[in-house]
Amino acid sequence: KRFEDAAGTARPKRTRRLRSEVSDGASVTSSESATVTRGGDSGLPADEVIDLDLSEPVHVIPKISKTWAADIIKNEKWADRKELFESFMNAADKPKIADEASDFSEHVSALKKLLLNKQVNIVALSARCIGMLARGLGSRFSREA
């Protein structure tokens, strides 16, 4: 009985388009163009382009303590580790990190060790820090990791 009522109604109209249909030149309304995003869930309109060549590269290593990697592994207290993570995130949260002779391998290896920690907060923060380094270094991150 439920389906009999729906049989007389018009077929629902498709309002969303696939990305392949939008890029092929299909007609797009203004509301659809605002919802098309580039790169997954970034939420940025398709018109907005972020050019990393326009941003100035920032030197990160001088802003991080020289003993940061040893301190983050050695400290067991959450408050101490949280301060160290915050200092690292404040320094590394840049769109472009300068290519310098400084070695990030010590920092990345310390962060990798913390990924195996039993505290979820430490694992989440270390993954976030690795992501910041990877985003800032771009293709150069592969040789540091």
Side-chain angles (χ1 to χ4, degrees):
K1 292 183 179 184
R2 293 181 186 176
F3 295 113
E4 292 172 2
D5 296 337
T9 61
R11 186 172 183 206
K13 194 173 190 181
R14 190 169 125 191
T15 57
R16 294 184 181 183
R17 303 280 180 232
L18 298 174
R19 287 187 183 162
S20 60
E21 293 173 345
V22 173
S23 64
D24 289 342
S27 63
V28 178
T29 63
S30 62
S31 63
E32 289 178 13
S33 66
T35 60
V36 174
T37 58
R38 56 174 196 84
D41 59 12
S42 64
L44 297 173
D47 316 356
E48 188 174 330
V49 176
I50 298 174
D51 193 2
L52 293 178
D53 293 334
L54 298 176
S55 61
E56 293 281 328
V58 178
H59 295 282
V60 173
I61 293 293
K63 297 178 183 178
I64 300 172
S65 171
K66 292 182 181 183
T67 60
W68 184 88
D71 291 342
I72 197 85
I73 298 292
K74 179 178 65 174
N75 286 338
E76 294 293 325
K77 290 185 178 179
W78 164 243
D80 296 338
R81 282 185 170 175
K82 185 178 177 184
E83 287 179 15
L84 289 168
F85 275 122
E86 286 175 354
S87 68
F88 187 87
M89 287 190 292
N90 288 338
D93 192 17
K94 308 296 181 208
K96 193 172 186 181
I97 295 175
D99 192 18
E100 53 192 25
S102 301
D103 191 18
F104 286 100
S105 62
E106 185 178 338
H107 299 88
V108 173
S109 65
L111 290 168
K112 282 183 185 178
K113 287 179 186 175
L114 291 175
L115 285 175
L116 303 174
N117 199 309
K118 60 185 173 185
Q119 294 180 358
V120 176
N121 293 337
I122 292 175
V123 173
L125 285 175
S126 61
R128 190 171 172 193
C129 290
I130 289 173
M132 286 179 184
L133 271 180
R135 185 182 58 224
L137 289 173
S139 62
R140 298 181 314 255
F141 180 74
S142 62
R143 55 171 201 226
E144 305 299 340

